[in-house]
Structure formats: C-alpha cells, structure tokens
Amino acid sequence: MNELLHEINNCKLCEMYIEPRPVVKVSKSSKIIIIGQAPGTKVHASGIPWDDASGKQLRKWLSVTDQQFYNTNLFGIIPMGFCYPGKGKSGDLSPRKECAEKWHEPLFEKLNNVDLVLLIGQYAQKYYLKEKVKSTLTETVNHYKEYLPRYFVMPHPSPRNRFWLKKNPWFEEHVIPDLQKRIHKIIG
C-alpha cells in the first residue's frame, strides 16, 4: 500500500490540465471508505482531505470527531479526482476522470477490511452504481437502502447544498440517524 500511495502522491497524469497535488488518505486496514468529488481550493492548499466547511458538515453527519475521521484505520478517503479540478462558471469543475480510472481499482485491491463505502455526490454514485443509479441524486439518496450493505449514498455536504437539504428534510431526519448507527457499529 505504501508504494501505491507514493505513486499516487507523485502522480502527474493531469498536469497539462491542472496543478497536480493529489489528496488521498487511506490504509490497508481502513474500515469505511469515503468517496467524494475532488479537493476544493482550501483542501488543495492544505493537502488535508475534507479540511473545509464540507468536511465539518460531513463529520457532523457521521457523528465522529476529527481524530476518528482522520484515523486511516477507521476511514479511508479516496476522492473521484485526487487534485483540485479548477474553477468553473458555477463552482468547481467536475473531477477529472483519470484518477478514478487509474487508481481506484489498485487501491481497492489493497484494502482488506472495508465494511462500508460512502458514495458522496453524483460523480461517485454514477461511477460505482453504474446502471443502478436513479435518474436524480435525490431519488438515489431516497433509495439508499437498495445499495446496502456495501454502499451508503448521500448528497455532498457542501454549504451550497443547503437548499437541497431544506427541500428534503427526510435526509437529516431519517437517513442520517441510520448512517450514524452504521458508522458507530463499524468503528465501535
């Protein structure tokens, strides 16, 4: 695993498009894998995954401390795109596809202790669920039990999604308690 992570950390696959600074944090004993989109500007600068408002909200949803969240024996963080993809017209650009295509399978081959994979946002859900993904993120998340026990689907915890959360109170009322129960059963 260390050799693979060294290769990833030195990856220059997308350097003609963006400034490479891969952000991934995982160990062969990670129990829960978090697959989100790609680092934002703050995470790109710090090199610490989920070191922003989205990460704070995610840790709240999971009901875990920073210490638990960054313990790679508990949580592995493997984004769809390992580097900040750049700015678009209405937020960050989509994660670059090269990362998942090149690195996800080799990483999962090294993982031997995974109990749950969190698929955060539509990019991760479309990539991993393929034809099982519903026509909208809302519908996919509303049917989250269909993807268990391997996958737990959820929206991105970005502050930009506050309107989605307001329109869909069932997520925080019913889905989050189930998620927290599953997380705490796994991490003890």
Side-chain angles (χ1 to χ4, degrees):
M1 178 65 91
N2 290 340
E3 188 177 307
L4 179 58
L5 289 173
H6 179 75
E7 283 182 57
I8 291 169
N9 287 326
N10 290 292
C11 179
K12 304 277 188 232
L13 195 60
C14 59
E15 72 181 331
M16 66 168 89
Y17 307 104
I18 60 177
E19 178 190 345
R21 181 167 188 194
V23 178
V24 61
K25 191 172 178 73
V26 65
S27 76
K28 64 182 179 180
S29 56
S30 298
K31 296 179 180 183
I32 300 165
I33 302 301
I34 298 170
I35 302 179
Q37 290 183 193
T41 54
K42 185 173 181 187
V43 171
H44 180 77
S46 73
I48 301 168
W50 295 98
D51 180 31
D52 54 14
S54 296
K56 188 174 183 176
Q57 180 63 46
L58 178 58
R59 289 186 288 282
K60 181 179 170 190
W61 283 351
L62 300 175
S63 185
V64 297
T65 65
D66 289 357
Q67 185 179 8
Q68 290 170 314
F69 186 79
Y70 290 110
N71 178 345
T72 57
N73 290 322
L74 301 178
F75 293 94
I77 301 168
I78 305 172
M80 290 301 295
F82 295 168
C83 301
Y84 174 63
K87 201 78 165 153
K89 290 180 183 175
S90 60
D92 294 341
L93 293 172
S94 303
R96 299 221 33 103
K97 294 180 181 182
E98 296 95 328
C99 293
E101 291 170 358
K102 179 163 178 74
W103 299 115
H104 278 217
E105 189 176 327
L107 280 166
F108 272 96
E109 286 174 2
K110 302 273 187 203
L111 299 170
N112 54 17
N113 205 26
V114 176
D115 291 319
L116 187 64
V117 178
L118 304 181
L119 299 177
I120 300 175
Q122 66 177 338
Y123 298 107
Q125 292 164 13
K126 286 179 181 178
Y127 187 84
Y128 279 92
L129 302 178
K130 304 201 183 323
E131 70 280 345
K132 293 179 184 170
V133 74
K134 307 294 183 195
S135 58
T136 66
L137 178 125
T138 302
E139 191 179 352
T140 300
V141 173
N142 199 20
H143 290 89
Y144 76 97
K145 288 183 180 179
E146 291 180 21
Y147 310 109
L148 293 168
R150 176 77 172 160
Y151 299 116
F152 201 107
V153 297
M154 49 199 302
H156 196 282
S158 168
R160 297 184 75 193
N161 281 344
R162 66 187 178 280
F163 298 115
W164 186 92
L165 292 168
K166 202 171 223 168
K167 279 178 62 175
N168 299 284
W170 52 266
F171 175 72
E172 289 188 317
E173 292 168 8
H174 302 289
V175 179
I176 290 299
D178 189 13
L179 173 65
Q180 291 174 350
K181 186 172 82 178
R182 291 171 190 277
I183 294 295
H184 288 279
K185 185 176 181 186
I186 294 167
I187 68 173

